[in-house]
Amino acid sequence: MPKKAAAVIALVLLLSLSFTYVQISSRLNRSPAATTATSSYTLNHPAPAQLATATPHQNGQAQLAGVQSNEVYYQNKIVVLIYHHIDAKEEPGLVISPERFASELDMLLARGYHVISLDQLRDFLNGGSVPDNAVLITFDDGYESVHQYALPELQKRHMPAVAFTIVKYVGQKRGNLQYYSWDGAREMAAAGFTTQSHTYNLHDFGPLASGKNGPLLNGPLKGQSLSDYRNMVYQDLKRSREEIENHLQQPVYALALPFGAGGQTAIQAAVDAGFKIVFTTHYGVVTRQSNPLALPRVNAGGPAITPAKLDALIRAAAGATTSPKGQQKQPPTYHPVVASKKTKRI
Protein backbone atom coordinates (compact mmCIF):
# COMPACT_ATOMS: atom_id res chain seq x y z
CA MET A 1 0.00 0.00 0.00
CA PRO A 2 2.75 2.56 0.79
CA LYS A 3 4.37 1.80 -2.60
CA LYS A 4 1.11 2.55 -4.41
CA ALA A 5 0.71 5.83 -2.50
CA ALA A 6 4.24 6.90 -3.42
CA ALA A 7 3.57 6.14 -7.06
CA VAL A 8 0.40 8.25 -7.02
CA ILE A 9 2.24 11.19 -5.41
CA ALA A 10 5.05 10.96 -8.01
CA LEU A 11 2.50 11.00 -10.84
CA VAL A 12 0.78 14.09 -9.42
CA LEU A 13 4.11 15.94 -9.12
CA LEU A 14 5.04 15.04 -12.71
CA LEU A 15 1.73 16.37 -14.07
CA SER A 16 2.13 19.57 -12.03
CA LEU A 17 5.62 20.21 -13.40
CA SER A 18 4.43 19.62 -16.99
CA PHE A 19 1.58 22.11 -16.54
CA THR A 20 3.95 24.73 -15.09
CA TYR A 21 6.38 24.30 -18.00
CA VAL A 22 3.60 24.78 -20.58
CA GLN A 23 2.46 28.00 -18.86
CA ILE A 24 5.95 29.43 -18.68
CA SER A 25 6.61 28.58 -22.34
CA SER A 26 3.41 30.27 -23.48
CA ARG A 27 4.29 33.42 -21.53
CA LEU A 28 7.71 33.64 -23.06
CA ASN A 29 6.20 33.34 -26.56
CA ARG A 30 9.59 33.36 -28.27
CA SER A 31 9.73 32.87 -32.02
CA PRO A 32 12.21 30.46 -33.67
CA ALA A 33 13.82 33.40 -35.49
CA ALA A 34 14.53 35.24 -32.25
CA THR A 35 15.96 32.08 -30.70
CA THR A 36 18.26 31.54 -33.68
CA ALA A 37 19.52 35.11 -33.59
CA THR A 38 20.67 34.92 -29.97
CA SER A 39 21.45 31.26 -29.40
CA SER A 40 25.10 31.44 -30.46
CA TYR A 41 25.68 34.07 -27.78
CA THR A 42 23.64 32.58 -24.97
CA LEU A 43 25.09 29.11 -25.43
CA ASN A 44 28.66 30.36 -25.27
CA HIS A 45 28.52 33.08 -22.65
CA PRO A 46 26.83 33.56 -19.27
CA ALA A 47 23.66 35.59 -19.74
CA PRO A 48 23.65 39.10 -18.23
CA ALA A 49 21.01 40.12 -15.72
CA GLN A 50 18.57 40.94 -18.53
CA LEU A 51 19.19 40.55 -22.24
CA ALA A 52 18.09 43.31 -24.58
CA THR A 53 14.68 42.58 -26.09
CA ALA A 54 12.74 44.17 -28.92
CA THR A 55 9.66 46.11 -27.83
CA PRO A 56 7.15 48.12 -29.92
CA HIS A 57 8.07 51.77 -30.42
CA GLN A 58 5.63 54.62 -30.97
CA ASN A 59 6.72 55.13 -34.56
CA GLY A 60 6.22 51.45 -35.37
CA GLN A 61 9.91 50.54 -35.36
CA ALA A 62 11.44 48.16 -32.88
CA GLN A 63 13.38 49.70 -30.04
CA LEU A 64 15.75 47.66 -27.92
CA ALA A 65 15.33 47.91 -24.19
CA GLY A 66 16.91 46.14 -21.27
CA VAL A 67 19.53 46.31 -18.58
CA GLN A 68 23.06 46.45 -19.93
CA SER A 69 26.25 45.37 -18.22
CA ASN A 70 27.92 48.21 -16.31
CA GLU A 71 31.33 46.56 -16.32
CA VAL A 72 34.22 48.69 -17.62
CA TYR A 73 36.68 46.71 -19.74
CA TYR A 74 38.70 49.65 -21.07
CA GLN A 75 38.69 53.45 -21.09
CA ASN A 76 40.01 56.10 -23.49
CA LYS A 77 40.32 53.51 -26.24
CA ILE A 78 38.29 52.55 -29.31
CA VAL A 79 38.07 49.11 -30.86
CA VAL A 80 37.15 49.38 -34.56
CA LEU A 81 35.32 46.37 -35.99
CA ILE A 82 35.49 45.45 -39.66
CA TYR A 83 32.80 43.62 -41.66
CA HIS A 84 32.40 43.00 -45.40
CA HIS A 85 29.50 41.00 -46.79
CA ILE A 86 26.26 39.66 -45.29
CA ASP A 87 24.42 36.77 -46.92
CA ALA A 88 22.07 33.99 -45.87
CA LYS A 89 24.71 31.49 -46.98
CA GLU A 90 27.86 32.00 -44.95
CA GLU A 91 31.21 31.28 -46.60
CA PRO A 92 34.71 30.96 -45.16
CA GLY A 93 36.46 34.28 -45.10
CA LEU A 94 34.37 37.40 -44.87
CA VAL A 95 30.71 36.42 -45.42
CA ILE A 96 28.37 36.13 -42.43
CA SER A 97 24.62 35.62 -42.10
CA PRO A 98 22.14 38.33 -41.07
CA GLU A 99 21.37 36.29 -37.95
CA ARG A 100 25.03 36.18 -36.93
CA PHE A 101 25.38 39.92 -37.43
CA ALA A 102 22.26 40.61 -35.36
CA SER A 103 23.47 38.35 -32.57
CA GLU A 104 26.81 40.16 -32.48
CA LEU A 105 25.03 43.50 -32.13
CA ASP A 106 22.94 42.03 -29.30
CA MET A 107 26.14 40.93 -27.60
CA LEU A 108 27.56 44.46 -27.83
CA LEU A 109 24.45 45.77 -26.10
CA ALA A 110 24.26 43.06 -23.48
CA ARG A 111 27.93 43.27 -22.56
CA GLY A 112 27.90 47.05 -22.17
CA TYR A 113 29.85 48.17 -25.23
CA HIS A 114 29.09 51.65 -26.54
CA VAL A 115 28.93 52.01 -30.33
CA ILE A 116 30.22 55.40 -31.42
CA SER A 117 30.27 57.36 -34.69
CA LEU A 118 33.17 58.15 -36.99
CA ASP A 119 32.95 61.80 -35.94
CA GLN A 120 33.40 60.73 -32.31
CA LEU A 121 36.53 58.80 -33.24
CA ARG A 122 37.88 61.83 -35.11
CA ASP A 123 37.17 64.08 -32.14
CA PHE A 124 38.78 61.56 -29.78
CA LEU A 125 42.01 61.67 -31.81
CA ASN A 126 41.87 65.46 -31.44
CA GLY A 127 41.57 65.29 -27.64
CA GLY A 128 37.85 64.63 -27.16
CA SER A 129 36.33 61.99 -24.93
CA VAL A 130 34.59 58.70 -25.71
CA PRO A 131 32.45 56.47 -23.50
CA ASP A 132 33.94 53.45 -21.77
CA ASN A 133 34.09 50.27 -23.89
CA ALA A 134 33.87 52.31 -27.11
CA VAL A 135 33.40 50.42 -30.40
CA LEU A 136 33.17 51.69 -33.99
CA ILE A 137 31.47 49.47 -36.59
CA THR A 138 32.83 49.60 -40.16
CA PHE A 139 32.08 47.83 -43.44
CA ASP A 140 34.40 47.60 -46.44
CA ASP A 141 33.56 47.54 -50.18
CA GLY A 142 29.97 48.89 -50.21
CA TYR A 143 27.83 45.84 -50.92
CA GLU A 144 24.05 46.09 -51.17
CA SER A 145 23.85 43.49 -48.40
CA VAL A 146 25.04 46.18 -46.02
CA HIS A 147 22.07 48.35 -46.96
CA GLN A 148 19.66 45.42 -47.04
CA TYR A 149 20.66 43.58 -43.87
CA ALA A 150 22.97 45.68 -41.69
CA LEU A 151 21.06 48.97 -41.86
CA PRO A 152 17.77 47.65 -40.37
CA GLU A 153 19.58 45.87 -37.53
CA LEU A 154 21.63 48.95 -36.72
CA GLN A 155 18.53 51.14 -36.83
CA LYS A 156 16.70 48.90 -34.35
CA ARG A 157 19.50 49.43 -31.88
CA HIS A 158 20.17 53.11 -32.72
CA MET A 159 23.78 52.30 -33.64
CA PRO A 160 25.87 54.42 -36.04
CA ALA A 161 28.32 52.81 -38.48
CA VAL A 162 30.64 53.55 -41.41
CA ALA A 163 30.69 51.99 -44.88
CA PHE A 164 33.84 52.35 -46.99
CA THR A 165 32.70 51.98 -50.58
CA ILE A 166 34.51 51.48 -53.88
CA VAL A 167 33.01 54.57 -55.45
CA LYS A 168 33.13 53.48 -59.09
CA TYR A 169 30.97 50.45 -58.22
CA VAL A 170 28.16 52.34 -56.50
CA GLY A 171 24.85 50.99 -57.82
CA GLN A 172 26.57 48.40 -60.04
CA LYS A 173 26.43 44.63 -60.10
CA ARG A 174 29.74 42.88 -60.67
CA GLY A 175 29.45 39.14 -61.07
CA ASN A 176 26.71 38.31 -58.63
CA LEU A 177 27.70 40.94 -56.08
CA GLN A 178 25.47 44.01 -56.00
CA TYR A 179 26.78 47.31 -54.60
CA TYR A 180 24.45 49.74 -52.87
CA SER A 181 23.18 52.77 -54.79
CA TRP A 182 23.41 56.47 -54.01
CA ASP A 183 19.76 56.35 -52.93
CA GLY A 184 20.69 53.55 -50.56
CA ALA A 185 23.66 55.58 -49.30
CA ARG A 186 21.36 58.53 -48.60
CA GLU A 187 18.98 56.30 -46.65
CA MET A 188 21.91 54.96 -44.67
CA ALA A 189 23.29 58.44 -43.99
CA ALA A 190 19.93 59.58 -42.62
CA ALA A 191 20.20 56.77 -40.05
CA GLY A 192 23.75 57.65 -38.99
CA PHE A 193 25.39 55.08 -41.30
CA THR A 194 27.89 57.23 -43.16
CA THR A 195 29.71 56.45 -46.43
CA GLN A 196 33.45 57.07 -46.76
CA SER A 197 36.09 56.04 -49.30
CA HIS A 198 37.58 52.67 -50.22
CA THR A 199 39.17 54.35 -53.29
CA TYR A 200 37.45 55.23 -56.53
CA ASN A 201 38.87 52.35 -58.58
CA LEU A 202 42.11 51.11 -57.02
CA HIS A 203 40.74 48.15 -55.09
CA ASP A 204 42.77 45.56 -56.98
CA PHE A 205 46.07 43.73 -57.36
CA GLY A 206 48.60 44.37 -60.10
CA PRO A 207 52.27 43.97 -61.10
CA LEU A 208 54.38 46.28 -58.92
CA ALA A 209 57.74 47.86 -59.67
CA SER A 210 59.18 45.64 -56.94
CA GLY A 211 58.57 42.65 -59.20
CA LYS A 212 55.77 41.31 -57.04
CA ASN A 213 52.04 41.20 -57.64
CA GLY A 214 50.28 43.11 -54.89
CA PRO A 215 47.68 45.71 -53.87
CA LEU A 216 47.81 48.76 -56.13
CA LEU A 217 48.30 51.12 -53.20
CA ASN A 218 51.57 49.32 -52.47
CA GLY A 219 52.93 50.64 -55.81
CA PRO A 220 54.42 52.13 -57.95
CA LEU A 221 53.33 49.79 -60.69
CA LYS A 222 55.71 48.05 -63.04
CA GLY A 223 57.13 50.52 -65.57
CA GLN A 224 55.56 53.51 -63.78
CA SER A 225 57.54 56.45 -62.41
CA LEU A 226 57.08 57.46 -58.79
CA SER A 227 55.60 60.83 -59.76
CA ASP A 228 53.13 59.24 -62.19
CA TYR A 229 52.11 56.71 -59.55
CA ARG A 230 51.61 59.38 -56.93
CA ASN A 231 49.45 61.43 -59.31
CA MET A 232 47.38 58.35 -60.23
CA VAL A 233 46.61 57.63 -56.57
CA TYR A 234 45.95 61.29 -55.78
CA GLN A 235 43.48 61.70 -58.65
CA ASP A 236 41.68 58.47 -57.76
CA LEU A 237 41.29 59.31 -54.07
CA LYS A 238 40.35 62.93 -54.76
CA ARG A 239 37.64 61.77 -57.16
CA SER A 240 36.29 59.27 -54.64
CA ARG A 241 36.01 61.96 -51.97
CA GLU A 242 34.42 64.53 -54.26
CA GLU A 243 31.84 62.12 -55.68
CA ILE A 244 30.69 60.98 -52.25
CA GLU A 245 30.46 64.56 -51.02
CA ASN A 246 28.56 65.69 -54.12
CA HIS A 247 26.03 62.85 -53.90
CA LEU A 248 25.52 62.80 -50.14
CA GLN A 249 26.30 66.39 -49.13
CA GLN A 250 28.46 65.24 -46.24
CA PRO A 251 32.17 65.57 -45.43
CA VAL A 252 34.44 62.71 -46.46
CA TYR A 253 37.69 62.50 -44.52
CA ALA A 254 38.27 58.78 -43.91
CA LEU A 255 39.81 56.13 -46.16
CA ALA A 256 39.99 52.37 -45.66
CA LEU A 257 42.95 50.90 -47.52
CA PRO A 258 42.02 48.05 -49.89
CA PHE A 259 43.37 44.81 -48.41
CA GLY A 260 44.67 46.96 -45.55
CA ALA A 261 47.72 47.87 -47.63
CA GLY A 262 49.25 51.21 -48.54
CA GLY A 263 52.79 52.43 -49.09
CA GLN A 264 54.17 55.76 -47.94
CA THR A 265 53.61 57.40 -51.35
CA ALA A 266 49.95 56.35 -51.42
CA ILE A 267 49.36 57.54 -47.84
CA GLN A 268 50.84 60.95 -48.64
CA ALA A 269 48.67 61.14 -51.76
CA ALA A 270 45.64 60.43 -49.55
CA VAL A 271 46.57 63.29 -47.23
CA ASP A 272 47.02 65.61 -50.21
CA ALA A 273 43.59 64.51 -51.49
CA GLY A 274 41.97 65.64 -48.24
CA PHE A 275 41.86 62.52 -46.06
CA LYS A 276 42.55 62.93 -42.35
CA ILE A 277 42.04 59.34 -41.16
CA VAL A 278 43.22 56.09 -42.76
CA PHE A 279 42.19 52.61 -41.60
CA THR A 280 44.24 49.45 -42.06
CA THR A 281 43.41 45.83 -41.24
CA HIS A 282 46.13 45.62 -38.61
CA TYR A 283 44.86 44.14 -35.36
CA GLY A 284 44.81 46.50 -32.40
CA VAL A 285 43.09 49.31 -30.54
CA VAL A 286 42.86 53.04 -31.23
CA THR A 287 44.27 55.34 -28.56
CA ARG A 288 45.05 59.05 -28.57
CA GLN A 289 48.63 58.14 -29.40
CA SER A 290 47.62 56.14 -32.50
CA ASN A 291 48.79 57.29 -35.90
CA PRO A 292 45.58 58.63 -37.56
CA LEU A 293 46.97 57.48 -40.93
CA ALA A 294 47.36 53.86 -39.81
CA LEU A 295 44.46 52.98 -37.53
CA PRO A 296 43.98 49.29 -36.61
CA ARG A 297 40.78 47.25 -36.81
CA VAL A 298 39.51 43.90 -35.56
CA ASN A 299 37.87 41.47 -37.99
CA ALA A 300 34.34 40.67 -36.79
CA GLY A 301 32.88 39.45 -40.08
CA GLY A 302 33.93 35.82 -40.29
CA PRO A 303 31.56 32.85 -39.89
CA ALA A 304 33.95 31.25 -37.40
CA ILE A 305 33.48 34.21 -35.03
CA THR A 306 30.72 33.71 -32.49
CA PRO A 307 29.39 36.59 -30.40
CA ALA A 308 31.27 35.20 -27.39
CA LYS A 309 34.50 35.03 -29.39
CA LEU A 310 33.98 38.57 -30.66
CA ASP A 311 33.55 39.72 -27.07
CA ALA A 312 36.91 38.14 -26.24
CA LEU A 313 38.58 39.60 -29.36
CA ILE A 314 37.45 43.13 -28.50
CA ARG A 315 38.73 42.95 -24.95
CA ALA A 316 41.99 41.35 -26.06
CA ALA A 317 42.59 44.10 -28.62
CA ALA A 318 41.95 46.70 -25.93
CA GLY A 319 44.37 44.98 -23.56
CA ALA A 320 41.63 43.89 -21.17
CA THR A 321 42.56 40.20 -21.55
CA THR A 322 45.26 38.15 -23.20
CA SER A 323 45.04 37.76 -26.96
CA PRO A 324 42.75 34.87 -27.98
CA LYS A 325 44.33 31.93 -29.77
CA GLY A 326 44.36 32.45 -33.52
CA GLN A 327 44.22 36.28 -33.57
CA GLN A 328 47.36 37.92 -34.91
CA LYS A 329 48.89 40.80 -32.97
CA GLN A 330 51.25 41.57 -35.86
CA PRO A 331 49.28 40.80 -39.03
CA PRO A 332 50.73 40.82 -42.52
CA THR A 333 50.82 44.04 -44.49
CA TYR A 334 47.63 43.05 -46.28
CA HIS A 335 45.13 40.23 -46.24
CA PRO A 336 44.60 38.76 -49.71
CA VAL A 337 41.29 36.93 -49.61
CA VAL A 338 40.92 33.64 -51.45
CA ALA A 339 37.60 34.37 -53.11
CA SER A 340 35.19 31.77 -54.39
CA LYS A 341 33.18 32.25 -57.55
CA LYS A 342 30.42 33.79 -55.43
CA THR A 343 32.59 36.19 -53.45
CA LYS A 344 34.95 37.80 -55.91
CA ARG A 345 36.50 41.14 -54.97
CA ILE A 346 35.66 40.90 -51.27
Side-chain angles (χ1 to χ4, degrees):
M1 189 69 180
K3 291 183 178 180
K4 291 183 178 181
V8 170
I9 291 171
L11 180 60
V12 170
L13 287 174
L14 180 61
L15 291 173
S16 177
L17 287 171
S18 300
F19 176 76
T20 302
Y21 173 79
V22 170
Q23 283 201 321
I24 291 173
S25 300
S26 64
R27 287 176 184 176
L28 289 174
N29 192 27
R30 294 183 65 182
S31 68
T35 302
T36 301
T38 58
S39 61
S40 57
Y41 171 70
T42 56
L43 289 176
N44 291 284
H45 207 288
Q50 181 179 350
L51 284 174
T53 55
T55 57
H57 193 44
Q58 289 181 350
N59 64 5
Q61 294 180 342
Q63 182 179 19
L64 288 178
V67 178
Q68 299 178 7
S69 169
N70 292 321
E71 187 174 353
V72 175
Y73 312 122
Y74 54 90
Q75 295 176 306
N76 297 315
K77 297 177 181 180
I78 303 169
V79 175
V80 183
L81 304 181
I82 175 174
Y83 292 90
H84 284 78
H85 187 37
I86 300 177
D87 191 77
K89 183 180 179 182
E90 294 186 328
E91 295 188 25
L94 305 173
V95 184
I96 63 171
S97 68
E99 293 79 14
R100 185 179 299 275
F101 178 67
S103 67
E104 290 183 356
L105 297 185
D106 285 340
M107 181 279 293
L108 294 178
L109 280 174
R111 297 294 292 162
Y113 292 102
H114 295 96
V115 180
I116 66 170
S117 67
L118 180 65
D119 285 350
Q120 285 177 286
L121 180 144
R122 176 201 59 196
D123 294 344
F124 170 73
L125 292 174
N126 290 326
S129 62
V130 290
D132 299 337
N133 308 332
V135 170
L136 175 67
I137 297 173
T138 70
F139 287 83
D140 280 10
D141 298 338
Y143 300 116
E144 168 59 23
S145 65
V146 173
H147 171 254
Q148 180 180 356
Y149 296 118
L151 175 61
E153 296 299 336
L154 291 164
Q155 283 182 301
K156 290 177 187 177
R157 298 160 179 82
H158 307 287
M159 291 178 173
V162 189
F164 295 100
T165 190
I166 306 169
V167 179
K168 184 178 180 179
Y169 298 165
V170 172
Q172 293 188 23
K173 186 172 184 179
R174 299 180 66 84
N176 57 356
L177 284 173
Q178 178 68 49
Y179 292 79
Y180 66 74
S181 66
W182 289 118
D183 284 341
R186 279 185 279 271
E187 182 183 352
M188 292 162 61
F193 196 166
T194 184
T195 293
Q196 299 286 306
S197 177
H198 204 34
T199 75
Y200 179 78
N201 189 30
L202 290 179
H203 189 289
D204 210 343
F205 282 70
L208 306 181
S210 63
K212 298 180 180 180
N213 197 63
L216 297 184
L217 292 192
N218 264 356
L221 305 182
K222 185 176 180 180
Q224 188 178 40
S225 70
L226 187 62
S227 60
D228 286 347
Y229 171 74
R230 183 203 166 280
N231 185 60
M232 177 188 76
V233 176
Y234 169 78
Q235 294 296 338
D236 178 279
L237 298 181
K238 181 172 179 287
R239 182 174 182 180
S240 76
R241 183 176 63 80
E242 291 175 346
E243 288 210 12
I244 297 172
E245 290 182 341
N246 289 338
H247 280 281
L248 303 183
Q249 300 300 304
Q250 64 169 49
V252 175
Y253 56 87
L255 168 72
L257 298 172
F259 314 106
Q264 184 177 354
T265 301
I267 299 300
Q268 185 56 54
V271 172
D272 294 341
F275 290 94
K276 309 296 183 185
I277 295 174
V278 177
F279 289 94
T280 69
T281 55
H282 288 195
Y283 172 72
V285 64
V286 176
T287 69
R288 286 197 179 88
Q289 289 71 45
S290 296
N291 180 356
L293 302 179
L295 296 181
R297 292 188 286 176
V298 173
N299 179 35
I305 300 175
T306 64
K309 184 174 181 180
L310 178 58
D311 181 25
L313 287 171
I314 293 172
R315 286 189 280 168
T321 63
T322 57
S323 181
K325 183 179 179 181
Q327 182 74 30
Q328 295 175 315
K329 283 192 174 182
Q330 297 296 331
T333 305
Y334 59 90
H335 65 283
V337 178
V338 179
S340 70
K341 292 181 180 180
K342 291 187 176 182
T343 57
K344 292 181 179 180
R345 300 196 62 83
I346 290 180

